Amino acid sequence: MTGGRLTGVDAEREAQLLFRVIGTISAGLDLHRMLQGVATLVTETTETDVCFVHLLDEKGRVLRLHGATPPFDVLVGEIELALGEGVAGWVAEHGEPVVIFDDKAADPRYRYIPALRGEEFTSMLSVPIVTPLGHLVGVLNVHTRARREFTGADVELLRSVAGLVAGAIENARLHRRLAEREEALESFAERIVEWQERESRRLAGEIHDGISQRIVSLFFHLSAAADAIAAEPADPAVAAEQVGRAQELAAAALDEARLAIAGLRPPVLDDLGLAASLESLGRSFPGLDIRVEADDLQMPGHVETAVYRTAQEALQNVAKHAGAESVRIRLSRHAGRAVLEVSDDGTGFDPGTLRRPAGDALPPTGLGLAGMRERAELLGGTLELTSAPGRGTTVRLAVPFTHHGQPGPGPALPGTPGWPARRPR
Ligand SMILES: Nc1ncnc2c1ncn2[C@@H]1O[C@H](COP(=O)(O)OP(=O)(O)OP(=O)(O)O)[C@@H](O)[C@H]1O
Ligand SMILES: [Mg+2]
């Protein structure tokens, strides 16, 4: 069914093609089936022999075949062209249509791809797929076996089809992105709930096993002191001894309460602020030469906690595993992100060995790196680990920067905002 001239086709036929294209793209199909439908429809209605729909990948560098008239539909996903490569690549790069009547091989823009069997086709027309806002999303090509004089009207009709398809592709991509985001939010909410439950269990354990036990003993010592005072004759020595024990227990309970709270938010952050807390953290590893360069970024409390905990775990790892002499801690603002880097000059390791395949029977690796990564992701940030045997290790945390008082970058982790400053002992 070759040879028909699109221009000769009356306006009614053109309207019918556009109408059917609209029907196909609004049928709620997934992107793949929609493009397949469009390719077949275009071939039928324009009386060409084959139609290829190439889409630009999300990075805008590669054109990939996403729809084709059978039997070429089996090649979907298999054919890739770089921007500028072949006629489709040229059209994508220049945003202009190309018409070739015959002798494609003589055209410097043409590239022969055996699977597409270009030798069977004589004439071709290629148009960019551009959204109404001018974003290029791909390229639409039609080919005919017999020679065909594609006209300006043919080009315009195919451009109209491409315009309709462009909007639908953008919508489909937007829809997919939204669905992915929704999934990510769901898993985020799940992790927050898990985290809250874990923290509640930890706090309950610490209060039950530590703090409550001490308060019960404290109560008995105070009762014994009261009895000693009320006795006839009163025994001040026993009373004083019992009160002394009660004081020790009160101090211990206070320490345990502080530790339990520190699990939520390190008190040092309230006392000194993040930058000075990192410096103080650096001084708490006496065997290491630790240099700290931290800008005073004034971020929301939960972000500061995440940064501090990451630095703490990274330093603990250096002390435990690296055999390093010196460490450098840097905190600064860079391209809208707060960036923490902890670099050591120690033994380094191969991070690839930490990623064990699912179902592997080996015991899991430590929790430190996984915890750091989880904290980063919860804040919409990233954690990068750069290390190689003999070359030291760098841990780099980057989280969206927000100023204290601004809404945080993602839901605030449960913490202890407004918890009273440390009480004097
Ligand atoms: N700075 C570092 N230098 C050398 N090796 C490191 C360093 N940081 C991490 N590693 C390696 O990565 C592994 C995983 O670290 P991770 O913090 O997850 O676990 P861990 O420190 O072994 O245990 P945990 O943190 O749960 O107490 C470590 O066991 C160690 O082999
Ligand atoms: Mg660790």
Side-chain angles (χ1 to χ4, degrees):
M1 52 164 189
T2 56
R5 277 174 53 88
L6 212 76
T7 359
V9 178
D10 46 53
E12 196 188 318
R13 208 144 165 207
E14 290 186 5
Q16 206 197 19
L17 166 62
L18 295 178
F19 183 72
R20 288 179 64 190
V21 169
I22 291 171
T24 304
I25 63 183
S26 43
L29 304 170
D30 60 51
L31 188 62
H32 169 70
R33 284 168 60 204
M34 176 184 85
L35 294 178
Q36 275 305 117
V38 167
T40 308
L41 196 58
V42 166
T43 320
E44 258 174 48
T45 337
T46 59
E47 296 181 347
T48 50
D49 293 303
V50 64
C51 170
F52 295 117
V53 188
H54 302 271
L55 294 193
L56 206 56
D57 71 342
E58 309 236 345
K59 287 190 182 139
R61 295 207 198 109
V62 176
L63 282 170
R64 199 164 285 127
L65 187 68
H66 271 260
T69 320
F72 293 97
D73 52 336
V74 294
L75 298 175
V76 163
E78 307 274 310
I79 307 287
E80 281 186 7
L81 289 165
L83 217 59
E85 188 184 359
V87 174
W90 189 95
V91 169
E93 199 170 52
H94 293 80
E96 285 170 28
V98 165
V99 181
I100 301 178
F101 298 131
D102 50 30
D103 199 9
K104 285 184 298 233
D107 192 310
R109 294 168 296 194
Y110 181 72
R111 201 198 121 199
Y112 177 67
I113 299 172
L116 298 182
R117 308 208 301 255
E119 68 278 10
E120 293 179 18
F121 302 97
T122 309
S123 307
M124 75 174 288
L125 164 56
S126 178
V127 298
I129 306 177
V130 183
T131 66
L133 290 177
H135 297 147
L136 177 84
V137 275
V139 174
L140 203 151
N141 289 357
V142 288
H143 297 257
T144 56
R145 290 205 169 83
R147 183 188 154 87
R148 163 116 161 232
E149 303 264 332
F150 285 108
T151 64
D154 294 332
V155 175
E156 281 321 302
L157 178 59
L158 213 58
R159 283 191 131 184
S160 306
V161 171
L164 290 173
V165 172
I169 292 167
E170 265 215 328
N171 281 346
R173 283 186 167 166
L174 216 60
H175 190 267
R176 199 182 59 210
R177 247 179 266 144
L178 275 178
E180 281 168 5
R181 184 136 184 79
E182 199 173 313
E183 232 171 73
L185 273 176
E186 262 169 34
S187 90
F188 174 78
E190 245 169 56
R191 277 189 291 163
I192 285 278
V193 171
E194 267 171 30
W195 186 88
Q196 271 176 324
E197 279 176 5
R198 212 167 49 230
E199 274 305 290
S200 306
R201 275 200 302 275
R202 182 185 67 79
L203 265 185
E206 283 178 24
I207 291 169
H208 175 270
D209 301 339
I211 303 164
S212 308
Q213 302 299 334
R214 297 206 191 274
I215 291 174
V216 169
S217 307
L218 193 149
F219 178 82
F220 284 121
H221 286 294
L222 287 178
S223 300
D227 289 347
I229 291 164
E232 281 295 336
D235 190 342
V238 169
E241 190 203 330
Q242 293 296 339
V243 168
R245 293 226 181 123
Q247 278 175 322
E248 279 166 23
L249 283 164
L254 192 60
D255 277 347
E256 291 201 16
R258 276 193 189 123
L259 276 177
I261 297 157
L264 293 174
R265 176 169 165 84
V268 67
L269 284 178
D270 291 324
D271 295 348
L272 304 176
L274 178 59
S277 296
L278 290 175
E279 278 162 23
S280 143
L281 182 66
R283 288 192 295 274
S284 64
F285 291 80
L288 285 166
D289 170 21
I290 301 180
R291 247 193 313 150
V292 182
E293 291 162 38
D295 293 345
D296 185 12
L297 297 183
Q298 306 272 332
M299 295 185 288
H302 65 286
V303 183
E304 290 191 341
T305 303
V307 171
Y308 183 82
R309 291 282 184 228
T310 302
Q312 200 174 30
E313 171 58 21
L315 275 181
Q316 259 158 25
N317 276 352
V318 175
K320 275 200 290 186
H321 311 293
E325 281 178 13
S326 59
V327 186
R328 190 156 179 206
I329 302 179
R330 271 189 297 190
L331 174 69
S332 59
R333 194 175 156 182
H334 182 70
R337 312 209 122 204
V339 178
L340 170 81
E341 269 182 354
V342 181
S343 313
D344 69 63
D345 63 354
T347 52
F349 69 109
D350 175 5
T353 57
L354 298 178
R355 282 190 285 275
R356 295 195 175 132
D360 195 318
L362 285 171
T365 51
L367 298 174
L369 289 171
M372 285 194 237
R373 190 155 281 136
E374 191 148 301
R375 271 181 201 281
E377 283 170 9
L378 282 174
L379 292 176
T382 51
L383 186 100
E384 283 169 25
L385 189 66
T386 316
S387 187
R391 308 248 301 271
T393 300
T394 296
V395 170
R396 185 176 194 271
L397 169 80
V399 291
F401 174 81
T402 35
H403 205 266
H404 180 62
Q406 261 174 267
L413 289 183
T416 51
W419 192 272
R422 301 184 74 171
R423 282 190 281 155
R425 289 189 73 175

